[in-house]
Every structure is written in structure tokens, then in C-alpha cells.
Amino acid sequence: MESIPTQKTFKMNISKRAILKALILFFFIMSAVFVAHFTGVKDVLTPETLARFLDAYGFWAPFLFILIHALSICLFVPASIPTIIGAGLFGAYWGFVYVWIGDIIGASGAFVIGRTLGRDFVASIVRDKLKRYDAAIEKNGFTTVFYLRLLNVPFTPLNFGMGMTGVHFRDYFFGTSLGVVVGIFVVTFVGGVLKDVWVSGNWGGLISFKVFFSVALFIFSFFIPTIIKKIKWPALISNRLNNT
């Protein structure tokens, strides 16, 4: 007489190569966090230090800032730090441009690292409903990434995390490029305006359309997640799940 199994057993076909790459990713992330928070790197990412460093390179200063910004993202430095510094160094408008480019490059780099080292392992362990969610994210990649960016989900963890899902790089790239615009614009515009007022000493400049617009946009940014939820974009994912 055959015994009836009391517990469902799953056999995970995880290759040694996938495990090795996942371990490399784990140690990379741990090393990056250590370097960013427990070494002298954080002391370099200050307005004074970067200003002195970039001044020496003249025309190439923006390119170096973008490179430093992109690398800092992969090293788990909070994205708000180089964003604020960029506004202080280059002003509201050019600061926005350089920070935006740095965000895209850094986010893309972290995504590629996560995809290369972690995707095989994650794909091997997802089962049943998790696999359905993974498939839904893959089919609605742009919407998912764009929505999460507007919700201000922690920037760098999301970059690596999305790389380990099934989302296509194209959808991730454009979802990120558009989704970070509001947040970057608010920080760089407010920071740039305050810097101009501080340098000029014209405190009367605080009473101007630019300042009121910056403050209003900053306050409005806190309501974006609520507005997005009312639009119910995530329902697209739910509908996709129900149809799979």
C-alpha cells in the first residue's frame, strides 16, 4: 500500500553556476555597503571636497561628476546625497541634467549587475504565485518600474532588485528615466534656487515665483504616491495575474 504524502515537496533545480553568481552578488553588495559607509568614501562626497576636485578639471567637471554619481549609486550611497551636491555645484538647471544622466547610468549599471549575477538564482527558486508575479512584472515592466519610481522606493535596492526580476532592460530603462524626473527636479530646483540666494546675498529673492514654484512642487511631490494609487496603475498587473 502506497503512503500518501502529507507535505508537498518541491525540487529546486539550482545550478552550481547560479549559486556561485548569487554569492558573488551577495559579497559585492556587502562590500559596497562597507566601502560606502565605513571608509573614507563618504568623506569625499561632500560639496566642499567635490567642488575642489572638479574645479581642477574645468570642462570635464560635469562628466566626472556624472561618473562619480553613477558609481556612488552602485556603492549604495543614498541617491539624495549626490543629487543635492549636484544642485549646489551646477545650479538648478544643469544640476538637474547632470544628476538625471548620472541616475540613469548608475541605475542601469546596478540593474545589469543584478541581472547578470542574481537572475538565474532567483528564477530557480520562484514557485507558483511568485512565478506569476514575476511573469506579470515582465509583461508590465515599464508600468511597474515607473510606478515604483514615483513612489520613491529606495533607489539603489530597487535597481538591483529589478535586475533579478524578469523585467526587460528596455522597460526598466525608460520607466526609470521618466520616473525619477519629478524627484530629481524638485531637489535640484529647490537646492539650486537656495544656493543662488545664499551666494548673492539677495534674500529678497526668496520672495519670487521661482521660489514659490519650487516649494509648491516640493510639497506636491509628497502627494504623488496618493495620486498614483488613485489612478490604480497596479490594477494592470492584477488583471494580468488573473488572466495567467
Side-chain angles (χ1 to χ4, degrees):
M1 183 176 178
E2 295 182 359
S3 61
I4 299 175
T6 58
Q7 183 176 1
K8 201 170 184 179
T9 303
F10 296 103
K11 183 179 180 181
M12 295 185 181
N13 297 317
I14 308 176
S15 68
K16 293 181 180 179
R17 181 182 179 85
I19 295 175
L20 176 61
K21 291 196 296 184
L23 288 174
I24 294 174
L25 177 61
F26 173 78
F27 285 113
F28 170 82
I29 292 175
M30 292 298 99
S31 300
V33 172
F34 177 81
V35 169
H37 297 279
F38 299 101
T39 67
V41 170
K42 62 181 181 180
D43 297 327
V44 175
L45 291 176
T46 64
E48 296 79 11
T49 303
L50 275 181
R52 289 195 301 269
F53 175 75
L54 295 176
D55 281 344
Y57 289 90
F59 172 81
W60 298 104
F63 299 97
L64 286 173
F65 170 79
I66 291 171
L67 177 61
I68 293 171
H69 180 23
L71 290 175
S72 69
I73 289 175
C74 294
L75 291 176
F76 282 81
V77 174
S80 58
I81 294 178
T83 300
I84 295 172
I85 293 175
L89 294 178
F90 302 104
Y93 303 106
W94 284 114
F96 166 79
V97 173
Y98 301 148
V99 169
W100 182 63
I101 295 174
D103 264 15
I104 295 173
I105 295 175
S108 299
F111 177 91
V112 171
I113 294 172
R115 172 61 53 87
T116 303
L117 298 177
R119 173 59 184 168
D120 291 344
F121 180 80
V122 171
S124 300
I125 64 175
V126 294
R127 287 292 182 269
D128 298 334
K129 195 170 184 178
L130 286 177
K131 184 169 287 187
R132 295 172 63 193
Y133 275 107
D134 189 52
I137 291 174
E138 179 180 359
K139 294 177 182 178
N140 300 279
F142 172 82
T143 301
T144 302
V145 175
F146 184 60
Y147 175 74
L148 292 174
R149 292 303 188 191
L150 289 176
L151 287 179
N152 292 318
V153 173
F155 192 73
T156 299
L158 183 62
N159 298 333
F160 285 95
M162 277 293 155
M164 290 182 274
T165 69
V167 65
H168 296 292
F169 178 76
R170 178 191 64 250
D171 295 333
Y172 171 83
F173 180 86
F174 288 108
T176 295
S177 299
L178 294 177
V180 300
V181 166
V182 174
I184 294 174
F185 183 80
V186 169
V187 175
T188 55
F189 201 75
V190 171
V193 169
L194 292 178
K195 175 209 170 186
D196 292 340
V197 171
W198 178 269
V199 172
S200 65
N202 180 22
W203 296 102
L206 288 174
I207 306 176
S208 66
F209 172 77
K210 289 175 64 177
V211 174
F212 283 116
F213 177 75
S214 301
V215 174
L217 191 59
F218 178 73
I219 296 173
F220 172 74
S221 67
F222 289 100
F223 296 94
I224 289 178
T226 303
I227 296 173
I228 297 301
K229 287 180 181 178
K230 289 184 178 180
I231 296 176
K232 297 181 179 179
W233 283 353
L236 295 173
I237 299 177
S238 299
N239 293 334
R240 179 66 65 178
L241 286 173
N242 292 331
N243 294 328
T244 55

